[in-house]
Amino acid sequence: MFSLNTPVHVIILMGAAGAGKSTIGRHLANDLGWRFVDGDDFHPKDNLDKISRNLPLTDEDRGPWLERLRAAITGWITTGTHVVLASSLLKSAHRTIVLGHHHPSVRIAYLKADRALLEQRLLHRTDHVMKADLLDSQLETLEEPIDALALNASDAPSTLVQQIRTALDL
């Protein structure tokens, strides 16, 4: 799964909306003394507008976003910047675009959650553009990774941070 011989520069927390990517990402980055970055910040305005109108994004919509993420990861690796990135990256093809040839320096932790947990979290979220109405679209799009650290998103943030640190020897 992971080669511990290659230094880790970027940890990507992926999963459907409501899995806890940003929450766990902030905790992990703080614990490691790394920078936290939210992948949603790389979406073009048109994408955010579409999401706010409860319209699912197409792969065509995601193209510029994926390229921006790829460029950012390239920059972080080139400058030796350590980053925890929260980003859905629901499809295998999305992960391939974003990872490019940097895969050895990037690790993925997949926050796996059932629909009920995701819906509960989304219904109680007030400060995010992604609402529960798009959950089914997210789950239909999701292709679970086979080369990632899979974690139970219902675990406590401190538990998840420790599991990631242990698995990645950080």
Side-chain angles (χ1 to χ4, degrees):
M1 181 191 303
F2 301 116
S3 170
L4 296 177
N5 297 327
T6 304
V8 177
H9 286 93
V10 178
I11 299 170
I12 299 174
L13 296 174
M14 66 148 292
K21 298 178 297 289
S22 295
T23 299
I24 304 309
R26 285 186 185 94
H27 284 282
L28 180 61
N30 185 56
D31 203 51
L32 293 171
W34 289 17
R35 181 177 166 203
F36 171 75
V37 177
D38 191 324
D40 287 344
D41 294 341
F42 291 82
H43 272 295
K45 183 181 180 322
D46 289 346
N47 285 7
L48 295 174
D49 290 345
K50 193 171 183 179
I51 294 167
S52 71
R53 293 190 322 265
N54 290 324
L55 299 172
L57 297 179
T58 65
D59 281 345
E60 184 177 335
D61 295 328
R62 289 184 182 97
W65 171 66
L66 296 169
E67 290 302 327
R68 288 176 178 181
L69 287 172
R70 179 185 173 120
I73 291 170
T74 298
W76 297 326
I77 291 170
T78 300
T79 61
T81 304
H82 296 282
V83 172
V84 176
L85 172 66
S87 186
S88 55
L89 297 177
L90 298 173
K91 287 186 175 182
S92 176
H94 300 164
R95 295 186 292 274
T96 299
I97 291 168
V98 168
L99 294 177
H101 62 280
H102 302 299
H103 194 299
S105 298
V106 178
R107 302 294 188 273
I108 299 175
Y110 167 45
L111 297 175
K112 185 174 181 169
D114 64 26
R115 188 186 192 295
L117 176 64
L118 296 170
E119 183 174 42
Q120 174 191 22
R121 288 178 176 176
L122 291 174
L123 288 172
H124 291 95
R125 195 156 76 170
T126 59
D127 61 345
H128 198 279
V129 69
M130 179 71 73
K131 303 295 182 218
D133 296 342
L134 291 176
L135 181 56
D136 288 332
S137 170
Q138 289 251 307
L139 294 175
E140 288 168 10
T141 303
L142 177 63
E143 296 171 358
E144 293 190 346
I146 57 171
D147 58 348
L149 173 63
L151 301 164
N152 184 342
S154 67
D155 286 344
S158 59
T159 300
L160 290 166
V161 166
Q162 190 55 52
Q163 289 172 347
I164 294 166
R165 290 196 68 172
T166 299
L168 301 181
D169 197 27
L170 298 170

